[in-house]
Amino acid sequence: MQLIIVTGLSGSGKSIALKALEDSGYYCVDNLPATLLPDTAEHLGNAGETRIAVSIDTRSSTLEALPGIIRNLRENNGDVRVLFLESSTETLVKRFSETRRRHPLSGGGITLAESIRLEREMLAQLGDLGHRMDTSDLSPNALRSWVKDFIALDPEGLTVLFTSFGFKHGIPLDADYVFDVRCLPNPNYEPMLKPLTGRDQPVVEFLENQPLAQAMYEDIRQFVEKWLPCFMQDNRSYLTIAIGCTGGQHRSVYFTERLTSHFRNLQHKVLVRHRELE
């Protein structure tokens, strides 16, 4: 049986993620109290369900018990994954204001921003239990695509996610390491290259002819190669490495694509995302 636990901040897209899982053939349960998770998984498993997705968040009065429950389930069931969704406070405030929804922790004289901060504190212990996704700048379609990438992963061992981004849009919340390549020559200032991306051959050739860009690439590659075994020994399931340039279109995309290709050739499990292109 494969069990996916969807959790995270209110307004970060958990409903969209759960719907994407349902469309992919999972039996989905929304807003389950944490302490009912083991019995629910056992009951559905006995009923013949082999792929189950459950949403648990701060609406559960027994949320503090969830980390221990997840550890026990992993010891007994094996394939238990956690998908943790988060977004910036600015994005969440905007989403709640636009939809006029009430935050589950609002009330008692606290503001929406204070409710979000409180919820972030309550969920802090869950973020490291699985795969974190920053949905601040994601469209619903992009989130559905990322969820499908997530369920296609082999649960055994470490998965490395390389993601490009633009600093002017903010640093990804789910990044474990952030590398800044803004000091390198910018293809955006070349009229023929400006409308292209780091995936296009003219941009690739431009950056490969820049000694500084090649030196930066080698430094990042060597750093990741050196420390990756430590994360594997630490039984980590996911490691997110973010490469940022100004707009997230040229330099960061080039570096992300090249690093992804290199580590795939070394037989590592690798995912690639380009936040600003998606």
Side-chain angles (χ1 to χ4, degrees):
M1 181 180 68
Q2 183 186 87
L3 174 63
I4 295 180
I5 300 163
V6 180
T7 187
L9 299 174
S10 301
S12 61
K14 296 190 299 297
S15 296
I16 294 173
L18 201 64
K19 179 61 177 174
L21 290 167
E22 184 178 40
D23 292 342
S24 298
Y26 284 77
Y27 186 100
C28 295
V29 181
D30 187 20
N31 191 22
L32 184 73
T35 50
L36 294 182
L37 181 58
D39 289 339
T40 300
E42 181 180 5
H43 173 75
L44 292 174
N46 292 337
E49 299 292 342
T50 59
R51 298 202 296 175
I52 302 166
V54 176
S55 174
I56 301 175
D57 51 40
T58 49
R59 292 173 292 177
S60 171
S61 59
T62 55
L63 184 65
E64 67 281 354
L66 187 56
I69 292 171
I70 291 173
R71 283 191 291 269
N72 290 335
L73 285 171
R74 283 174 170 167
E75 291 174 0
N76 297 321
N77 293 16
D79 192 359
V80 178
R81 311 186 195 187
V82 177
L83 179 59
F84 186 90
L85 304 184
E86 56 188 329
S87 293
S88 68
T89 298
E90 180 183 6
T91 296
L92 294 174
V93 168
K94 181 180 179 181
R95 288 175 182 171
F96 275 101
S97 298
E98 289 176 346
T99 61
R100 298 187 180 181
R101 288 175 51 206
R102 181 177 179 273
H103 193 281
L105 299 182
S106 63
I110 65 174
T111 66
L112 175 56
E114 290 169 339
S115 299
I116 294 170
R117 183 169 63 249
L118 175 60
E119 185 177 42
R120 203 181 294 278
E121 293 171 358
M122 294 173 64
L123 295 170
Q125 59 181 335
L126 301 179
D128 293 333
L129 295 179
H131 183 47
R132 296 164 56 203
M133 285 188 187
D134 179 4
T135 68
S136 301
D137 299 295
L138 282 191
S139 68
N141 282 338
L143 176 54
R144 293 186 193 101
S145 176
W146 286 20
V147 170
K148 291 179 180 178
D149 288 342
F150 169 75
I151 62 179
L153 293 175
D154 181 351
E156 297 298 326
L158 176 70
T159 296
V160 183
L161 167 63
F162 289 103
T163 181
S164 67
F165 72 97
F167 274 96
K168 69 180 183 180
H169 302 296
I171 297 174
L173 298 175
D174 52 3
D176 295 298
Y177 282 105
V178 175
F179 293 97
D180 184 352
V181 297
R182 287 177 293 181
C183 63
L184 303 176
N186 191 352
N188 188 64
Y189 296 132
E190 301 292 330
M192 298 295 292
L193 302 180
K194 183 173 183 177
L196 304 179
T197 76
R199 288 170 164 168
D200 295 312
Q201 191 59 31
V203 175
V204 171
E205 292 175 357
F206 173 87
L207 290 170
E208 288 185 344
N209 287 325
Q210 304 294 332
L212 284 177
Q214 299 313 301
M216 176 80 81
Y217 168 77
E218 286 300 322
D219 286 344
I220 296 174
R221 179 190 62 78
Q222 291 174 17
F223 179 89
V224 176
E225 283 188 1
K226 177 180 179 179
W227 293 106
L228 208 51
C230 293
F231 287 97
M232 292 176 175
Q233 294 169 9
D234 195 39
N235 294 320
R236 286 281 294 268
S237 297
Y238 306 96
L239 179 69
T240 299
I241 298 172
I243 314 292
C245 60
T246 304
Q249 181 175 334
H250 297 105
R251 294 165 292 180
S252 61
V253 173
Y254 163 78
F255 272 76
T256 298
E257 287 287 328
R258 191 170 174 188
L259 288 164
T260 297
S261 176
H262 174 78
F263 284 93
R264 277 183 178 157
N265 288 336
L266 296 179
Q267 304 303 310
H268 290 290
K269 292 188 299 179
V270 177
L271 280 178
V272 59
R273 294 177 187 157
H274 299 294
R275 190 184 72 179
E276 316 310 349
L277 303 188
E278 296 173 346

